[in-house]
C-alpha cells in the first residue's frame, strides 16, 4: 500500500513524554485544539474544521476523534480505550457551553452529525449520519421548540434511515420503498409534500422494519446511538468500497479515519433555511467565479443525492441558464454576501480553489466542510496560472500543481462527457486522444477509404512495419495483441493518434473482414470509436471535443522552461513529426529511427532488393538507390531542426521485418522486386530467427553488412553539409550505434563511420563536427559502460529493450499477463510504462557512474518510451541525465515533468 506523505503520524499525545493519549480534539467558538497541518491525526475534514474555527469563521462547534482511535478499534476487535469515554464527555460538555444545548437532555436537547474523515479525502467512504440524538421524546421537544412538527418528524425519519443503513446494516432501499409507498398512497410526487402525520406513520413503519430485521428495537438511548455511530465510522475504513478506493489511489491502510462529531444545524427548518455546495471557481473551466447549487428547506444529502432539483447560487448563473427560480444571491442576500466574503478569505488562506458545503439555518450562515475542489485538466491549468498571476502562489507552485499526464487531454481530442457510450471491447490505453472512423483491416483499404474522403480506424491483430502506410492515414489504431511499447503503440504515440492495444477479447478475421467480440460482429466500413485515454473501443461514432491550447498553457510552458534542467528532445524521423515536436518545444531529436525511412512508398521495394541480395555487389547496387532517398530525408530533418542536435540511430531491426510473411504477399513482393517466388521464400526462411529480439540486429547487422553503415553515414554527412550551407545554422549530427554490448562492436562500426566522414569531407572540402555514441539497451552494456565510454561520446538509454532484456520479458507479449501481476501485487507498476528503478534503474545508475568516470563530459539521455513518462523523468533527473527524448505529442508533458523533477530535487537538497 502507499506511504503516508502528509508529514505526521497517527499517534496522539498531550505533548508530554509518555503522557496519556489525547483521543479527542475540540473546536468552535473561534478557537480549536487542532490545525490544518494535523491531517494525519484529525483527518482532512477535522483538520480543516479546526483551522476554520481558528480563523473565526461560523463553524458549528464540535470535536474530532483521532485516526489513532480507528487504528486501535480495528486492531483490538472493535474495543475502545478506557480513557476515550471521559474525553468524549468532556467534549460534549464544551459543546453544551458553546451551543446552550445539552446532549441527552430533554430540555433543549443537542443534536449531532457524525462523519468519518480520512487524512486524504475519500468520497463515499461513509456518508454522514445527521440528527443523531433524536428519539421518541426529543423529537416532540424539537417540534414544540421550532413550532414545526413537519420539520421535526422529517429530521427524525432521516436519522432513523441513515442510522439504520450505516450502523444497523439495513439496506437503504428498504427505507426508500416505504416512503415511495406512502407517496403513492397519497398521490404525491415530492418528499416535501408529505405532512408531519405522514412522517410519523413512516417512522413507525421504519421502527417496525428494524425490529423485524434485527429482532431488536431502534435504540432510544442517545449515548448508545453515539457509540454505535462512532463504531460504524471506524468500521467504514475497512468497507469494500474504502478498500477499493485506497488501492486505486495508493492510500495506506494503516492511516485509519478520524470521526467528526458536530452540533447539528438545520437547513430544513423552513423557508428561511437552506443547504448548498459551492466552488470558489468554475471546476470545468477554471474561471474565477463562484459556482454551486442550493436547496431551500433541505439537508445536505438532498443536494448531493439529487432527490430534488437544486437552484443556482448566483444571479449570473441563473440568468445564463435561463432558470425561473430565484438564486440564493437574490433570495438570501445577506447570508449570501457573507458567504462570498468567506470564499475570498479561504481562497487567500488556503491558496487554492475550494469546495465548500454550508447551511443557512433561519438566516444564520454555517460553514460545514471545506475540501480542495476536484477540477478538470483544463481548469487545473487555468487556476494554477491565474493564482500565480494573482500573487496567491508562486510560479514554481503553479508548475507543481499541474499533473503532466493531464496535458494529454489538452493536446488531443476527447470524447464528450455527455455522449452515450456503447463499449464493445477494452484494451490498453496505449496512445491518448479519441477518434471515430470506418473500420478497416488492411493498409490498402485504409488508403482507399481515405482517398474517398472517409476517416478510418485500422484494426489489426498486431501491426508491423508493413502497416505503416495504413497507420499514417488512419485516425486511430486498435490491436488485439501487443503492449504499451508494441509497434502499434509506439508509432501511434509518435503520430499523435489514439491507439488501443492488447484488446485480447477481439477476434479479427482478415478473410471475412470482421471484428468479433463475443456476439458482437462488426464489418469493414462500420463506424467505430476509440478512446485512447480509457482503452475503450466503442460502437458507432461518438461526439468529441477538440483540444484547445490556451494562453494559460503558453504561460505555464514559459515558466516550465525557466525552471527545468533536463533538455527535452523528440523521437522523430519525418519532417511532419519534427515540425510538430518543434511546435511543442522540442530541443532536438533524441532518436531518429532510420529504418522507418525505408518504409515509405517506393522505398520498401528497394530495401527488399538489398535484403535479398546474395553478394556485396548486388547489395551495394540497391544501397546506391537508397542513398539519395535517405540523404533527402536527413537534409529535411536537419533543416527543420536547424541549430538543434539530431541523434540518428543506424539500422536496428532484423532484416526479416522488411519482408512479407503471408504466401499471397510473398508472391506479390517477388513480382515487385523481380525475383522468383521460391528464391524470395528461401531468403525469408534463411533470415528467420527464433528469437529476433535477441537476434541479428543493431550493430550485429552493421558488422555483417558494413556497406549499410557506409551508405547511411554517407547520406547523413552529405545531408548535414547541405543543410548547413542552406540554412546557415550549425548542424549537430550524433550517430548512435544500437545494441552494443562489447566495446569492440562499437569500435568496429565507429571505424567505418569515421572513414566515411573523411571521404565525404575530403570530397566536399568542408569540415563537419559530429559525435558517435551508442544506445545502452543491454545489461552488459550498462555494466561495461566504463570501457564503452572510452569509445562513445554519448549514451542514450533504450529503456524499452533494456527492460525486456533485464526482465527477460517480451514487451509485445507482456500485456497478456502483466495485469495479473498488478492485481496480485507482484509488481506495483508495469515496467514498460514506468522505469523499474530497482532493477533497470540500478543498471542505468551504474552506466551513468561508470560512463562518466571514463569520460566526464559524456552526454547521456534516454530515448525509450519512458522518456515521456513523468515518474521516469523524475528518475532521470535524480541520476543526472542530460536530456529525455519522447514522441512529439508528449514533449509538453516531458517539459512539465522535467521542471517538476528539478523542483523536487531542490526540495530534497
Amino acid at each position: 500500500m502507499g506511504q503516508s506523505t502528509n508529514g505526521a503520524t497517527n499517534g496522539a499525545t498531550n505533548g508530554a513524554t509518555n503522557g496519556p493519549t489525547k483521543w479527542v480534539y475540540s473546536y468552535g467558538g473561534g478557537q480549536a485544539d487542532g490545525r490544518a497541518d494535523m491531517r494525519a491525526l484529525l483527518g482532512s475534514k477535522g483538520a480543516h474544521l479546526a483551522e476554520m474555527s481558528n480563523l473565526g469563521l461560523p463553524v458549528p462547534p464540535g470535536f474530532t476523534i483521532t485516526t489513532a482511535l480507528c487504528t486501535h478499534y480495528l486492531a483490538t476487535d472493535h474495543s475502545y480505550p478506557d480513557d476515550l469515554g471521559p474525553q468524549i464527555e468532556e467534549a460534549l460538555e464544551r459543546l453544551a457551553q458553546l451551543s446552550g444545548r445539552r446532549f441527552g437532555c430533554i430540555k433543549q436537547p443537542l443534536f449531532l452529525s457524525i462523519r468519518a474523515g480520512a487524512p486524504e479525502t475519500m468520497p463515499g467512504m461513509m456518508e454522514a449520519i445527521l440528527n443523531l440524538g433524536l428519539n421518541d421524546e426529543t423529537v416532540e421537544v424539537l417540534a414544540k421548540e421550532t413550532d414545526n412538527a413537519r420539520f421535526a418528524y422529517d429530521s427524525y425519519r432521516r436519522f432513523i434511515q441513515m442510522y439504520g443503513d450505516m450502523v444497523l446494516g439495513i439496506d437503504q432501499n428498504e427505507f426508500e420503498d416505504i416512503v415511495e409507498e406512502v407517496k403513492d398512497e397519497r398521490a404525491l410526487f415530492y418528499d416535501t409534500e408529505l405532512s408531519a402525520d405522514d412522517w410519523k406513520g413512516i417512522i413507525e413503519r421504519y421502527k417496525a422494519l428494524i425490529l423485524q430485521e434485527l429482532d431488536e428495537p431502534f435504540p432510544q438511548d442517545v449515548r448508545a446511538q453515539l457509540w454505535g455511530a462512532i463504531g460504524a465510522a471506524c468500521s467504514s475504513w475497512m468497507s469494500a468500497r474504502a478498500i477499493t478506493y485506497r488501492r486505486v489511489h495508493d492510500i495506506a491502510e494503516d492511516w485509519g479515519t478520524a470521526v467528526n462529531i458536530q452540533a447539528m444545524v438545520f437547513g430544513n427548518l423552513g423557508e428561511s433555511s437552506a443547504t448548498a455546495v459551492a466552488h470558489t471557481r468554475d471546476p470545468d473551466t477554471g474561471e474565477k467565479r463562484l459556482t454551486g447549487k442550493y436547496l431551500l428547506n433541505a439537508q445536505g444529502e438532498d443536494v448531493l443525492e439529487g432527490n430534488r432539483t437544486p437552484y443556482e447560487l448566483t444571479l449570473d448563473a441563473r440568468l445564463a441558464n435561463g432558470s425561473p427560480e430565484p438564486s440564493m444571491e437574490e433570495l438570501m442576500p445577506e447570508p449570501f454576501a457573507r458567504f462570498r466574503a468567506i470564499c475570498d478569505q479561504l481562497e487567500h488562506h488556503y491558496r487554492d480553489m475550494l469546495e465548500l458545503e454550508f447551511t443557512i439555518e433561519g438566516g444564520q450562515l454555517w460553514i460545514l466542510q471545506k475540501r480542495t475542489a476536484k477540477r478538470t485538466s483544463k481548469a487545473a491549468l487555468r487556476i494554477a496560472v491565474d493564482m500565480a498571476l494573482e500573487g496567491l502562489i508562486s510560479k514554481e507552485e503553479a508548475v507543481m500543481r499541474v499533473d503532466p499526464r493531464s496535458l494529454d487531454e489538452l493536446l488531443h481530442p476527447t470524447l464528450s462527457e455527455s455522449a452515450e457510450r456503447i463499449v464493445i471491447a477494452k484494451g490498453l490505453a496505449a496512445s491518448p486522444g479519441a477518434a471515430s472512423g470506418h473500420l478497416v483491416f488492411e493498409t490498402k483499404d485504409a488508403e482507399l477509404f481515405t482517398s474517398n474522403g472517409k476517416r478510418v480506424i485500422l484494426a489489426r491483430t498486431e501491426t508491423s512495419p508493413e502497416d505503416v502506410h495504413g497507420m499514417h492515414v488512419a485516425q486511430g489504431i486498435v490491436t488485439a495483441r501487443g503492449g504499451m511499447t508494441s509497434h502499434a503503440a509506439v508509432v501511434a504515440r509518435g503520430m499523435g493518434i489514439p491507439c488501443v492495444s492488447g484488446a485480447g477479447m477481439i477476434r479479427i478475421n482478415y478473410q471475412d473482414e470482421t471484428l468479433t467480440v463475443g456476439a458482437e460482429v462488426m464489418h469493414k466500413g462500420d463506424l467505430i470509436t476509440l478512446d485512447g485515454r480509457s482503452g475503450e473501443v466503442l460502437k458507432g461514432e461518438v461526439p468529441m471535443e477538440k483540444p484547445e491550447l490556451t494562453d494559460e498553457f503558453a504561460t505555464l510552458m514559459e515558466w516550465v522552461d525557466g525552471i527545468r534542467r533536463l533538455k527535452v528532445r523528440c523521437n522523430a524521423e519525418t519532417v511532419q513529426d519534427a515540425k510538430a515536436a518543434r511546435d511543442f518545444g522540442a530541443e532536438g531529436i533524441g532518436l531518429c529511427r532510420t529504418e522507418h525511412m525505408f518504409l515509405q512508398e517506393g522505398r520498401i521495394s528497394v530495401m527488399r532488393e538489398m535484403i535479398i541480395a546474395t553478394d556485396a555487389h548486388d547489395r551495394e547496387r540497391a544501397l546506391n538507390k537508397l542513398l539519395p532517398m535517405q540523404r533527402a530525408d536527413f537534409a529535411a530533418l536537419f533543416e527543420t531542426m536547424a541549430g538543434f542536435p539530431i541523434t540518428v540511430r543506424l539500422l536496428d531491426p532484423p532484416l526479416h521485418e522488411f519482408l512479407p510473411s503471408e504466401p499471397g504477399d510473398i508472391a506479390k513482393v517477388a513480382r515487385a522486386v523481380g525475383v522468383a517466388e521460391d528464391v524470395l521464400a528461401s531468403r525469408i526462411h534463411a533470415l528467420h530467427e527464433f528469437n529476433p529480439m535477441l537476434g541479428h540486429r543493431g550493430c550485429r547487422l552493421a558488422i555483417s553488412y558494413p556497406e549499410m553503415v557506409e551508405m547511411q553515414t554517407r547520406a547523413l554527412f552529405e545531408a548535414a553539409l547541405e543543410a548547413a550551407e542552406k540554412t546557415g545554422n550549425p548542424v549537430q549530427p550524433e550517430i548512435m550505434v544500437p545494441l552494443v554490448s562489447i566495446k569492440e562492436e562499437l569500435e568496429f562500426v565507429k571505424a567505418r563511420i569515421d572513414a566515411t566522414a573523411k571521404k565525404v569531407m575530403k570530397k566536399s572540402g568542408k569540415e563537419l563536427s559530429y559525435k558517435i555514441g551508442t544506445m545502452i539497451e543491454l545489461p552488459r552494456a550498462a555494466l561495461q559502460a566504463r570501457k564503452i565510454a572510452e569509445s562513445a561520446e554519448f549514451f542514450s538509454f533504450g529503456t524499452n529493450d533494456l527492460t525486456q532484456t533485464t526482465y527477460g520479458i517480451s514487451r509485445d507479449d507482456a500485456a497478456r499477463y502483466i495485469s495479473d501481476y498488478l492485481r496480485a501485487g507482484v509488481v506495483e507498476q508495469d515496467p514498460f510504462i514506468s522505469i523499474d528503478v530497482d532493477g533497470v534503474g540500478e543498471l542505468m545508475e551504474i552506466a551513468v557512474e561508470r560512463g562518466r568516470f571514463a569520460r566526464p563530459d559524456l552526454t547521456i539521455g534516454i530515448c525509450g518510451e519512458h522518456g515521456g513518462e513523468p515518474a521516469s523523468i523524475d528518475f532521470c533527473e535524480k541520476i543526472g541525465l542530460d536530456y529525455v527524448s519522447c514522441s512529439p505529442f508528449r514533449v509538453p508533458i516531458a517539459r512539465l515533468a522535467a521542471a517538476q523533477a528539478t523542483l523536487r530535487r531542490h526540495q530534497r537538497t
Side-chain angles (χ1 to χ4, degrees):
M1 299 299 291
Q3 298 299 310
S4 174
T5 58
N6 49 30
T9 65
N10 66 356
T13 69
N14 65 355
T17 304
N18 297 322
T21 299
K22 182 175 173 62
W23 302 104
V24 177
Y25 286 69
S26 293
Y27 55 86
Q31 59 184 0
D33 297 341
R35 303 179 309 276
D37 61 357
M38 297 173 69
R39 290 188 310 155
L41 185 65
L42 304 179
S44 178
K45 196 187 309 283
H48 292 302
L49 286 170
E51 184 79 358
M52 290 190 292
S53 293
N54 284 326
L55 291 172
L57 298 185
V59 174
F63 57 91
T64 299
I65 304 175
T66 69
T67 55
L69 184 276
C70 175
T71 303
H72 178 283
Y73 180 81
L74 295 174
T76 58
D77 195 25
H78 296 187
S79 67
Y80 298 106
D82 293 340
D83 53 349
L84 175 63
Q87 291 186 35
I88 288 178
E89 290 302 322
E90 183 180 339
L92 288 171
E93 179 59 33
R94 185 167 185 270
L95 267 182
Q97 294 170 7
L98 289 171
S99 66
R101 311 182 72 86
R102 189 170 297 277
F103 186 65
C105 181
I106 295 301
K107 184 180 180 181
Q108 292 186 308
L110 173 67
F111 305 107
L112 304 172
S113 69
I114 316 292
R115 293 178 173 90
E120 294 291 339
T121 302
M122 294 176 59
M125 184 180 76
M126 177 188 172
E127 304 299 337
I129 297 178
L130 305 180
N131 314 316
L132 188 142
L134 278 168
N135 57 23
D136 291 349
E137 290 183 315
T138 55
V139 69
E140 294 182 12
V141 174
L142 184 62
K144 289 177 183 177
E145 261 190 22
T146 60
D147 194 26
N148 191 336
R150 189 203 168 279
F151 150 73
Y153 287 97
D154 176 28
S155 299
Y156 190 20
R157 71 90 190 176
R158 289 172 185 264
F159 169 55
I160 296 173
Q161 188 168 332
M162 292 176 181
Y163 196 93
D165 175 22
M166 297 173 206
V167 181
L168 304 181
I170 297 174
D171 191 337
Q172 170 89 357
N173 292 323
E174 294 196 52
F175 295 108
E176 290 291 350
D177 288 345
I178 292 172
V179 175
E180 292 304 315
E181 287 171 11
V182 172
K183 286 196 294 187
D184 288 344
E185 292 167 4
R186 302 266 286 105
L188 302 175
F189 188 76
Y190 293 109
D191 290 4
T192 51
E193 297 175 292
L194 293 167
S195 67
D197 288 337
D198 292 326
W199 287 127
K200 288 179 182 179
I202 289 170
I203 287 167
E204 292 307 312
R205 292 179 64 174
Y206 276 8
K207 291 194 290 187
L209 170 65
I210 291 169
L211 183 61
Q212 177 184 334
E213 292 279 338
L214 304 180
D215 202 25
E216 290 182 7
F218 180 77
Q220 295 292 309
D221 183 332
V222 296
R223 275 177 168 71
Q225 294 174 359
L226 178 58
W227 285 104
I230 292 170
C234 291
S235 295
S236 71
W237 182 248
M238 296 307 295
S239 67
R241 60 182 174 180
I243 291 170
T244 299
Y245 190 94
R246 288 200 299 273
R247 183 172 65 246
V248 170
H249 295 276
D250 197 28
I251 293 174
E253 182 177 302
D254 61 2
W255 283 4
T257 181
V259 184
N260 297 286
I261 299 172
Q262 249 180 319
M264 272 298 301
V265 289
F266 295 99
N268 58 334
L269 190 58
E271 297 302 307
S272 61
S273 301
T275 188
V277 177
H279 294 92
T280 56
R281 303 193 185 213
D282 190 316
D284 293 323
T285 67
E287 183 181 351
K288 189 178 180 181
R289 65 185 184 91
L290 184 62
T291 65
K293 303 285 186 179
Y294 84 101
L295 278 174
L296 281 177
N297 194 20
Q299 289 197 331
E301 76 271 15
D302 296 325
V303 175
L304 298 175
E305 294 179 5
N307 296 327
R308 292 160 53 189
T309 302
Y311 307 140
E312 300 291 348
L313 272 183
T314 67
L315 173 60
D316 286 345
R318 182 182 76 78
L319 295 176
N321 294 328
S323 172
E325 303 296 337
S327 64
M328 178 180 281
E329 184 176 10
E330 299 166 279
L331 198 62
M332 300 178 167
E334 291 185 11
F336 177 83
R338 172 75 171 120
F339 176 70
R340 188 190 285 277
I342 287 172
C343 288
D344 292 338
Q345 179 184 354
L346 287 177
E347 263 211 355
H348 278 78
H349 181 76
Y350 285 106
R351 303 181 311 123
D352 204 350
M353 170 192 166
L354 307 176
E355 179 183 339
L356 299 168
E357 293 180 23
F358 67 98
T359 284
I360 295 172
E361 181 189 68
Q364 170 66 47
L365 173 68
W366 295 98
I367 307 297
L368 301 183
Q369 181 160 294
K370 166 267 167 192
R371 64 172 68 94
T372 302
K374 303 293 184 183
R375 63 205 77 179
T376 64
S377 299
K378 179 180 178 181
L381 176 61
R382 177 170 179 176
I383 291 166
V385 171
D386 283 354
M387 285 192 163
L389 295 175
E390 292 165 20
L392 287 179
I393 60 176
S394 67
K395 293 176 182 179
E396 290 77 12
E397 287 176 292
V399 167
M400 291 301 293
R401 286 191 181 185
V402 180
D403 182 351
R405 288 164 293 211
S406 72
L407 296 187
D408 268 340
E409 295 180 31
L410 304 179
L411 301 174
H412 297 86
T414 55
L415 297 184
S416 172
E417 292 292 336
S418 60
E420 181 184 0
R421 295 179 176 221
I422 304 174
V423 179
I424 59 173
K426 187 171 174 60
L428 298 174
S431 182
S436 296
H438 297 274
L439 184 62
V440 296
F441 303 95
E442 302 285 356
T443 287
K444 60 180 177 59
D445 290 322
E447 295 175 322
L448 177 62
F449 274 56
T450 303
S451 67
N452 290 327
K454 294 182 177 180
R455 294 172 290 109
V456 299
I457 300 294
L458 178 64
R460 301 286 292 171
T461 300
E462 57 187 340
T463 63
S464 70
E466 282 279 299
D467 302 311
V468 168
H469 302 309
M471 298 168 78
H472 270 291
V473 299
Q475 302 296 307
I477 302 161
V478 56
T479 66
R481 292 204 294 262
M484 293 296 290
T485 53
S486 64
H487 178 267
V490 171
V491 173
R493 284 197 290 270
M495 295 190 298
I497 62 173
C499 174
V500 175
S501 64
M505 67 290 295
I506 286 176
R507 297 292 176 266
I508 294 174
N509 188 315
Y510 293 116
Q511 185 174 351
D512 295 342
E513 297 182 313
T514 58
L515 181 153
T516 303
V517 183
E520 185 75 49
V521 180
M522 302 199 70
H523 300 81
K524 183 175 77 172
D526 288 349
L527 282 169
I528 192 171
T529 297
L530 303 182
D531 186 347
R533 181 175 57 173
S534 66
E536 292 175 336
V537 182
L538 303 107
K539 188 174 183 178
E541 185 172 11
V542 179
M544 297 184 194
E545 297 175 0
K546 293 183 179 180
E548 179 185 0
L549 294 183
T550 61
D551 292 341
E552 288 83 11
F553 176 83
T555 300
L556 184 77
M557 288 295 108
E558 182 181 336
W559 296 344
V560 158
D561 292 338
I563 293 170
R564 65 185 168 88
R565 182 196 65 83
L566 276 169
K567 298 292 185 183
V568 177
R569 302 188 191 181
C570 70
N571 301 340
E573 15 321 299
T574 68
V575 169
Q576 179 184 4
D577 286 348
K579 284 181 177 177
R582 282 294 302 272
D583 289 342
F584 285 131
E587 299 159 301
I589 293 177
L591 176 62
C592 172
R593 293 158 289 206
T594 54
E595 61 271 9
H596 287 195
M597 296 173 166
F598 300 132
L599 298 172
Q600 298 177 29
E601 196 66 39
R603 301 184 182 188
I604 187 73
S605 59
V606 181
M607 185 66 178
R608 286 164 172 165
E609 282 183 41
M610 188 274 295
I611 294 170
I612 65 175
T614 55
D615 57 47
H617 179 267
D618 288 344
R619 198 157 37 247
E620 287 182 5
R621 186 172 60 186
L623 288 170
N624 286 334
K625 295 180 184 178
L626 288 172
L627 175 66
M629 303 174 187
Q630 186 120 96
R631 182 172 54 221
D633 285 343
F634 286 144
L637 281 181
F638 284 131
E639 290 174 24
T640 303
M641 302 300 291
F644 289 107
I646 295 181
T647 304
V648 176
R649 184 180 70 185
L650 298 178
L651 189 66
D652 182 47
L655 295 179
H656 80 272
E657 288 194 5
F658 295 94
L659 299 176
S661 57
E662 299 295 327
D665 292 332
I666 292 173
K668 184 168 60 176
V669 169
R671 290 193 297 271
V673 298
V675 299
E677 186 177 336
D678 61 338
V679 172
L680 178 58
S682 176
R683 184 62 174 151
I684 292 170
H685 178 74
L687 291 172
H688 173 75
E689 295 181 283
F690 288 104
N691 192 347
M693 180 186 82
L694 303 176
H696 196 193
R697 49 172 288 219
C699 67
R700 300 161 193 173
L701 282 175
I703 292 170
S704 296
Y705 308 114
E707 56 271 23
M708 290 197 304
V709 174
E710 291 162 6
M711 182 280 288
Q712 287 198 290
T713 52
R714 178 185 167 189
L716 177 69
F717 292 132
E718 290 177 350
L721 290 171
E722 177 186 323
E725 183 174 355
K726 186 174 181 180
T727 65
N729 290 310
V731 174
Q732 305 172 51
E734 300 176 349
I735 303 168
M736 183 158 63
V737 182
L739 214 72
V740 165
S741 62
I742 305 168
K743 175 185 177 184
E744 287 72 18
E745 290 175 318
L746 176 59
E747 290 181 334
F748 179 94
V749 180
K750 183 178 180 182
R752 269 64 184 173
I753 296 171
D754 286 336
T756 304
K758 287 180 181 179
K759 289 180 183 178
V760 171
M761 286 188 277
K762 182 178 180 180
K763 182 177 179 180
S764 67
K766 298 174 182 176
E767 291 295 317
L768 179 68
S769 176
Y770 63 92
K771 289 183 178 182
I772 298 174
T774 186
M775 183 180 274
I776 304 294
E777 51 193 321
L778 297 172
R780 192 181 195 278
L783 297 173
Q784 291 290 299
R786 180 175 174 178
K787 289 185 178 179
I788 292 172
E790 294 171 358
S791 300
E793 296 172 275
F794 68 87
F795 286 169
S796 181
F797 287 105
T799 49
N800 298 347
D801 275 349
L802 186 57
T803 301
Q804 288 192 105
T805 52
T806 300
Y807 272 91
I809 292 177
S810 166
R811 69 188 185 193
D812 293 321
D813 297 320
R816 301 178 189 176
Y817 53 85
I818 282 291
S819 58
D820 298 331
Y821 274 53
L822 292 166
R823 279 193 299 270
V826 175
V827 295
E828 292 186 359
Q829 58 192 2
D830 184 338
F832 291 105
I833 295 177
S834 188
I835 288 175
D836 158 37
V837 297
D838 295 330
V840 175
E842 185 171 357
L843 287 170
M844 292 173 68
E845 289 186 86
I846 289 169
V848 170
E849 180 183 350
R850 294 180 182 179
R852 286 190 172 144
F853 180 87
R855 188 185 291 268
D857 62 346
L858 185 71
T859 300
I860 308 179
I862 176 177
C863 60
E865 284 298 305
H866 297 97
E869 196 273 323
S872 301
I873 292 170
D874 190 70
F875 179 72
C876 292
E877 170 70 27
K878 195 178 296 182
I879 64 173
L881 299 196
D882 297 299
Y883 70 86
V884 298
S885 188
C886 57
S887 57
F889 282 83
R890 299 181 90 180
V891 167
I893 296 171
R895 289 163 64 194
L896 176 55
Q900 293 181 349
T902 298
L903 292 171
R904 277 191 287 269
R905 179 171 56 81
H906 289 163
Q907 290 170 0
R908 288 192 293 266
T909 57

